[in-house]
Amino acid sequence: MAKLVVLGEGQNGRTLDLKDERTTVGRLDDNAFQIPEQSISSHHCEILLKGTEVVVKDLGSTNGTFINGEQITEKALKPGQVLRLGKVELRFEDGQTPSGSGSSASQPASQTTISGRSLPHGGVKLGDTSGAAPVFAKNSPFAKKSNKTAIIFITIGVILFAAIVVALILAFSQFKSP
């Protein structure tokens, strides 16, 4: 069964089974799923089951509704994506075991591993300096780039500029002398 798993502190692991066609989520207790957190609006969003699709619709919330960091007004939610309501994050799980090799299925639900370190789910929070910076492989697009190419271009530019200046000085000096 499809469900949302709360990842926020104090409510980590709390789940919402998505079995109704329409489920309201918000801070007040008249919602089908109440999350008593100040950053969540009284009626924040609704979760709609449309066939096999799960759609999240923002209800004009103050702090917004986000799927994987992108603010939405209405959008389909895919398995593994993180829904953020105010400051609370919820992970969408479709209830099926992921297939394939080396998937994150072997990781505990509340853990993520980066560079061999286990982090609380949701990754690193702003201002958290307790962990070391991640180490990227040399062939990673995030690896530090070499400055050799930049140095070569700058050197060639300086030489060409100097040559042009010398050529202009020689040209003007020949026009002045008879």
Side-chain angles (χ1 to χ4, degrees), residues 67-89:
I67 295 179
N68 283 355
E70 174 190 343
Q71 187 165 13
I72 59 108
T73 52
E74 185 171 337
K75 186 173 181 178
L77 189 59
K78 306 288 184 221
Q81 288 186 319
V82 174
L83 172 65
R84 181 168 52 90
L85 311 174
K87 294 180 181 178
V88 177
E89 292 185 332

Side-chain angles (χ1 to χ4, degrees), residues 85-125:
L85 311 174
K87 294 180 181 178
V88 177
E89 292 185 332
L90 304 99
R91 183 181 57 248
F92 176 55
E93 297 178 358
D94 66 357
Q96 299 177 6
T97 307
S99 60
S101 60
S103 72
S104 62
S106 63
Q107 291 293 326
S110 64
Q111 295 291 314
T112 300
T113 302
I114 297 177
S115 300
R117 291 178 308 178
S118 183
L119 300 172
H121 190 76
V124 179
K125 292 189 169 50

Side-chain angles (χ1 to χ4, degrees), residues 162-176:
I164 291 171
V165 169
V166 169
L168 287 173
I169 291 173
L170 289 175
F172 283 122
S173 66
Q174 288 183 5
F175 283 120
K176 288 184 180 180

Side-chain angles (χ1 to χ4, degrees), residues 5-91:
V5 179
V6 179
L7 306 173
E9 297 169 15
Q11 300 184 47
N12 197 13
R14 189 170 160 220
T15 62
L16 165 64
D17 291 329
L18 300 173
K19 53 189 173 199
D20 297 327
E21 274 187 43
R22 181 179 174 270
T23 304
T24 58
V25 180
R27 190 176 67 242
L28 297 181
D29 59 2
D30 66 345
N31 289 287
F33 191 61
Q34 180 193 19
I35 304 175
E37 157 64 42
Q38 288 297 72
S39 65
I40 294 181
S41 294
S42 54
H43 297 99
H44 199 98
C45 71
E46 61 184 5
I47 313 294
L48 307 167
L49 297 181
K50 295 183 176 180
T52 59
E53 204 172 49
V54 175
V55 177
V56 179
K57 182 179 179 182
D58 184 80
L59 297 175
S61 64
T62 302
N63 292 320
T65 301
F66 299 81
I67 295 179
N68 283 355
E70 174 190 343
Q71 187 165 13
I72 59 108
T73 52
E74 185 171 337
K75 186 173 181 178
L77 189 59
K78 306 288 184 221
Q81 288 186 319
V82 174
L83 172 65
R84 181 168 52 90
L85 311 174
K87 294 180 181 178
V88 177
E89 292 185 332
L90 304 99
R91 183 181 57 248

